[in-house]
């Protein structure tokens, strides 16, 4: 079981290139990417998305990739001969117009003018570069997955503890449920005696008690609730994404608890249901963060 919250970092480093990758994830209903790449590597966005998707199924995924290059093999100087000649011709014309001023044109003078000499980045071999990006991204994804796994394990232990509490309250409810018809029969007899109703037909009394017992019978709900709890503990051991399954199952558990409270007409059982719903709410908050 994995959390959707995590952080991973990876790096590729050589004498001429450093690639730094950071991946942060938080909970999200689907898989949603936000990828930031240097502009000259924007063509890698789809590859980055596909690489991460192999190991991350759900969550808001923020990817930050920075690069730093050293050396000059990827940069070249370009000399614009025509532009330099135009500057030279104009400077000479200015010299003719102002002949009383010393003309001190030099090569350095012309070279300093804009665009005469400029730098150009050499064409990037993207296929060659991708190998280095892939290495750094894989390292970041692996550390991310491990951090999500560790948090998922912590959440699983918390779920088990809370499901055990729900199970204990369910057992308590099951024991209390057996006494409901008995208590109702005693209450009827006490009222008959108290208010001097007179002789009540025993068959009619038995029928009344039987109808009430059927009305407040929660055996089916308790069986379903117990099965749901067992399913919950089974699902959290699976290695596949289980967040949506747990969310659905928790809704079913909550529904059975509500039905038990409404049918049983018992203060003690209602108190146990309140405890159950309290634990379920704590689980529900955490399930939103499960992949």
């Amino acid at each position: 079981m994995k959390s959707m919250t995590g952080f991973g970092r990876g790096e590729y480093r050589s004498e001429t290139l450093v690639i730094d990758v950071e991946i942060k994830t938080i909970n999200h209903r689907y898989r949603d990417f936000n990828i930031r790449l240097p502009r000259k590597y924007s063509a890698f966005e789809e590859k980055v998305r596909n690489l991460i998707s192999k190991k991350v199924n759900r969550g808001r995924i923020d990817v930050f990739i920075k690069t730093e290059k050293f050396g000059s093999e990827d940069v070249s100087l370009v000399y614009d001969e025509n532009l330099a000649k135009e500057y030279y011709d104009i400077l000479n014309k200015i010299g003719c117009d102002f002949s009383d001023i010393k003309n001190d044109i030099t090569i350095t003078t012309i070279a300093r003018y804009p665009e005469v000499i400029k730098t150009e980045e050499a064409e990037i071999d993207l296929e060659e570069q991708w190998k280095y990006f892939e290495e750094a991204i894989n390292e970041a994804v692996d550390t991310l997955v491990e951090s999500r796994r560790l948090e998922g394990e912590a959440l699983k232990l918390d779920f088990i503890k809370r499901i055990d509490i729900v199970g204990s309250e369910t057992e308590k409810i099951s024991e209390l449920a057996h006494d409901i018809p008995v208590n109702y029969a005693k209450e009827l007899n006490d009222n008959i005696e108290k208010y001097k109703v007179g002789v009540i037909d025993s068959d009619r009394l038995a029928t009344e008690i039987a109808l009430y017992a059927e009305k407040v019978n929660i055996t089916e709900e308790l069986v379903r609730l117990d099965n749901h709890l067992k399913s919950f503990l089974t699902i959290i051991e699976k290695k596949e994404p289980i967040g949506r399954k747990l969310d659905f199952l928790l809704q079913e558990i909550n529904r059975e608890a509500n039905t038990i409270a409404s049918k049983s007409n018992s203060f003690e059982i209602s108190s146990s249901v309140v405890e159950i719903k309290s634990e379920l709410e704590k689980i529900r908050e955490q399930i939103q963060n499960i992949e």
Side-chain angles (χ1 to χ4, degrees):
M1 191 175 81
K2 297 187 184 72
S3 166
M4 281 192 282
T5 300
F7 175 80
R9 185 173 183 180
E11 182 184 75
Y12 169 82
R13 181 179 292 271
S14 70
E15 293 181 357
T16 59
L17 175 65
V18 173
I19 302 171
D20 187 67
V21 180
E22 289 186 358
I23 307 176
K24 299 177 182 178
T25 60
I26 57 174
N27 61 313
H28 193 276
R29 189 174 181 183
Y30 304 106
R31 184 168 51 206
D32 181 50
F33 280 95
N34 174 39
I35 300 175
R36 296 184 184 178
L37 275 162
R39 188 173 59 181
K40 60 184 175 182
Y41 295 110
S42 59
F44 288 162
E45 182 169 335
E46 189 62 28
K47 288 187 174 184
V48 172
R49 190 188 305 269
N50 291 337
L51 193 60
I52 295 173
S53 295
K54 292 178 181 179
K55 296 182 180 179
V56 179
N57 292 281
R58 283 180 67 201
R60 162 77 177 186
I61 306 166
D62 292 314
V63 185
F64 306 93
I65 301 179
K66 296 183 292 185
T67 62
E68 187 175 359
K69 286 198 169 186
F70 306 98
S72 59
E73 69 276 3
D74 58 340
V75 177
S76 58
L77 296 177
V78 178
Y79 163 48
D80 191 331
E81 184 178 353
N82 293 328
L83 184 61
K85 189 174 185 308
E86 288 182 25
Y87 278 124
Y88 177 74
D89 291 341
I90 289 174
L91 289 172
N92 275 325
K93 186 175 185 308
I94 293 173
C96 292
D97 291 343
F98 298 91
S99 56
D100 56 331
I101 298 175
K102 179 182 178 183
N103 188 341
D104 58 352
I105 301 173
T106 66
I107 292 175
T108 303
T109 303
I110 298 174
R112 286 175 177 169
Y113 283 101
E115 302 297 317
V116 172
I117 299 175
K118 55 186 178 182
T119 59
E120 285 187 357
E121 289 190 1
E123 187 175 343
I124 300 173
D125 185 345
L126 290 178
E127 287 301 318
E128 178 69 21
Q129 294 283 303
W130 171 247
K131 293 189 301 185
Y132 311 133
F133 276 78
E134 189 173 25
E135 181 179 326
I137 294 168
N138 275 328
E139 182 183 349
V141 172
D142 288 343
T143 56
L144 168 72
V145 169
E146 178 62 11
S147 74
R148 285 161 62 107
R149 186 192 67 79
L150 290 174
E151 184 168 337
E153 286 295 318
L155 289 175
K156 182 169 74 172
L157 293 175
D158 186 67
F159 287 169
I160 291 171
K161 180 182 72 174
R162 299 193 184 283
I163 289 296
D164 283 345
I165 294 174
V166 173
S168 297
E169 293 297 330
T170 301
E171 290 178 6
K172 188 186 299 183
I173 291 172
S174 183
E175 293 173 4
L176 291 169
H178 292 298
D179 296 332
I180 295 176
V182 175
N183 292 335
Y184 181 68
K186 183 177 183 304
E187 184 180 350
L188 277 179
N189 284 313
D190 289 346
N191 285 335
I192 290 170
E193 181 67 26
K194 178 179 179 181
Y195 298 108
K196 308 299 183 182
V197 174
V199 178
I200 301 294
D201 182 70
S202 60
D203 289 340
R204 183 180 175 185
L205 188 61
T207 300
E208 175 66 23
I209 295 171
L211 289 173
Y212 183 80
E214 182 63 29
K215 179 182 176 182
V216 298
N217 187 292
I218 54 174
T219 301
E220 290 185 12
E221 288 77 10
L222 287 170
V223 169
R224 284 196 294 268
L225 179 55
D226 185 60
N227 287 336
H228 290 332
L229 296 179
K230 290 176 180 176
S231 294
F232 193 99
L233 294 175
T234 298
I235 290 173
I236 62 175
E237 297 298 335
K238 293 181 179 294
K239 298 187 182 300
E240 62 195 46
I242 58 173
R244 289 193 179 97
K245 289 182 180 178
L246 291 179
D247 191 29
F248 173 76
L249 188 55
L250 197 68
Q251 293 177 41
E252 294 300 307
I253 294 172
N254 199 60
R255 185 177 292 111
E256 297 299 341
N258 286 333
T259 304
I260 288 170
S262 63
K263 284 183 66 176
S264 63
N265 195 28
S266 163
F267 174 78
E268 291 82 0
I269 289 179
S270 293
S271 296
S272 285
V273 170
V274 169
E275 292 298 321
I276 288 174
K277 290 175 70 66
S278 174
E279 296 303 319
L280 294 180
E281 179 59 23
K282 293 170 185 175
I283 294 173
R284 188 195 66 79
E285 292 174 0
Q286 296 292 357
I287 277 182
Q288 307 309 312
N289 203 34
I290 297 299
E291 183 178 65

